[in-house]
Amino acid sequence: MKHFNALLLIACGFLPELAQALASDKNQPIHIQSDSAVRNEKSGLTTYNGHVQMDQGSLRINAIKIVIHSIDNEVTKIVATGTPAKYKQQPTITKPEVIATASTIEYLITDDKLHLIDNANLIQSDGSTMSGNRINYDMKDSVVKAASADNRPNQRIHMVIPPKSERSSNHTPDHTTAKE
């Protein structure tokens, strides 16, 4: 448990940049392209299928399927699924994009939370990476929680923190997944 708490404290130092971009991007319109779409007015769900791309400011999500949850025509949650679904967003004008991949990405807009579920990978603009079965990020409180799969005891959380010289150069790796 000590190692898990230490990992959380270390990781919290690397994720606040994700929240900076989300605050400004939330005020931008959402643009979606897909092969098909179905809107259910009663449930407030809109499902987009087939090569879906969603953009909102610097935020981009690519997936096989995106479901947008709305209450009173206000988007409250976005769920993207893919093999993997991909999320990227530029934290500030001067930093490279933050990249996340997972089988499922849940963006809980009203709660300011981002959940990366199943084969989760996160690459920060400073070059640090985190991977595991699940990564949850509470943007309000700048708290990250990562977990391995319960049914796969050999899969553990993996985090790479580059030396300070690499982090200060604002270098983002060319790959989009962290090694486990």
Side-chain angles (χ1 to χ4, degrees):
M1 190 63 170
K2 281 184 182 180
H3 296 299
F4 182 72
N5 288 336
L7 175 65
L8 288 178
L9 289 174
I10 292 168
C12 286
F14 296 103
L15 289 174
E17 62 190 31
L18 201 54
Q20 294 171 2
L22 291 170
S24 63
D25 287 346
K26 281 187 200 178
N27 299 324
Q28 300 295 319
I30 296 173
H31 299 273
I32 300 174
Q33 298 177 38
S34 68
D35 294 338
S36 66
V38 175
R39 170 80 177 148
N40 184 325
E41 293 290 331
K42 287 183 182 181
S43 69
L45 297 178
T46 306
T47 302
Y48 299 90
N49 282 299
H51 302 95
V52 186
Q53 179 175 308
M54 187 199 97
D55 295 292
Q56 185 180 29
S58 71
L59 169 66
R60 172 169 284 173
I61 298 174
N62 291 92
I64 294 170
K65 177 180 176 181
I66 292 180
V67 179
I68 296 186
H69 300 249
S70 301
I71 297 175
D72 296 327
N73 290 321
E74 183 176 338
V75 176
T76 58
K77 179 167 104 173
I78 297 168
V79 179
T81 54
T83 53
K86 298 174 184 174
Y87 167 104
K88 65 181 180 176
Q89 189 167 36
Q90 190 167 3
T92 66
I93 199 87
T94 60
K95 291 189 177 184
E97 295 170 327
V98 172
I99 300 168
T101 61
S103 296
T104 302
I105 298 173
E106 292 180 345
Y107 175 22
L108 308 173
I109 296 167
T110 54
D111 296 332
D112 278 336
K113 294 183 180 181
L114 184 68
H115 299 162
L116 305 174
I117 304 163
D118 197 20
N119 296 314
N121 292 288
L122 180 65
I123 302 170
Q124 294 291 126
S125 62
D126 67 356
S128 63
T129 64
M130 178 183 280
S131 64
N133 189 60
R134 184 176 179 111
I135 300 171
N136 293 334
Y137 180 54
D138 181 329
M139 293 171 272
K140 282 183 196 172
D141 296 328
S142 294
V143 175
V144 65
K145 294 180 183 179
S148 60
D150 291 336
N151 59 350
R152 290 184 251 158
N154 293 332
Q155 182 190 18
R156 298 173 45 110
I157 298 163
H158 183 85
M159 184 161 185
V160 177
I161 303 168
K164 185 177 180 181
S165 60
E166 286 184 34
R167 287 196 316 254
S168 62
S169 69
N170 290 332
H171 176 263
T172 298
D174 294 331
H175 58 282
T176 58
T177 59
K179 293 180 183 174
E180 293 185 20

